[in-house]
Amino acid sequence: MIPFLYGAGLFLLINMVLVFIRAVQGPTVIDRLLSINVIGTKCINLIVIAGLIFSRLDMFVDIAIGYGLLNYIAAVCTAKFYQHNKTLSPDSGASS
Amino acid sequence: MTLIAIILIILGLFFFFGTSIGILRLPDFYSRAHAAGKADTLSTILIILGCALYYLDYSHYDLASFNVAFKLFVIIAFVFIGSPTATHAIMDAASSAGVEHWSKDKDKS
């Protein structure tokens, strides 16, 4: 079972890199925010799978809860910022 | 029980692969946010449910592992509520900041 978990964690990492490509080339800032949010949610799964691999899930599950809360708050607050600040692509310059 | 956990985790990984493909290939921000919000939550639920079942079976259902499994279900409940809410907030910010909708005839560069 443990090698399967290693494979699952590796697959998660590969998909995170795929999503990160969208973060790098995303035309607007909101695209980057969305992909970072997806990567953050995936990081929760990675922490739980790592907890299982090291067979210390009781410690890792608290880290995963903390990380999930922080990721959620960061996404919502950043989204709230971009509601008023109309500059979406960095080169457009003037912010209202 | 371990077999059920493996099947759940494989399903979760499959949906997450769908998410990353959806985010990369879909033409418009709103369709990407649609892909990211839904499949992301579903794959998280499946993967963490599989891990919880495996952990319960691994530690032979003693009281401590029920405590940890309950915390895992707390994560599932939070992601089930929080991830779509965050995606909705991002989409609301995008629509109010004026991200234009994709349309078939407008061939975007």
Side-chain angles (χ1 to χ4, degrees), chain B residues 40-108:
Chain B
D40 189 22
T41 317
L42 181 61
S43 63
T44 299
I45 290 172
L46 288 176
I47 289 177
I48 294 189
L49 198 59
C51 292
L53 287 181
Y54 169 68
Y55 183 71
L56 277 173
D57 182 64
Y58 169 78
S59 55
H60 309 302
Y61 303 98
D62 61 351
L63 196 55
S65 67
F66 272 109
N67 182 11
V68 172
F70 177 70
K71 279 187 201 169
L72 282 173
F73 291 139
V74 164
I75 292 183
I76 288 179
F78 171 70
V79 166
F80 188 74
I81 296 168
S83 180
T85 316
T87 312
H88 172 71
I90 292 171
M91 193 173 303
D92 187 36
S95 64
S96 72
V99 176
E100 77 282 352
H101 291 268
W102 180 79
S103 62
K104 191 181 291 296
D105 47 22
K106 176 182 20 166
D107 52 356
K108 293 177 70 70

Side-chain angles (χ1 to χ4, degrees), chain A residues 33 36-37 68-80, chain B residues 86 90:
Chain A
L33 176 60
I36 295 302
N37 183 26
L69 292 171
L70 278 175
N71 181 44
Y72 171 70
I73 291 170
V76 170
C77 292
T78 316
K80 200 160 181 47
Chain B
I90 292 171

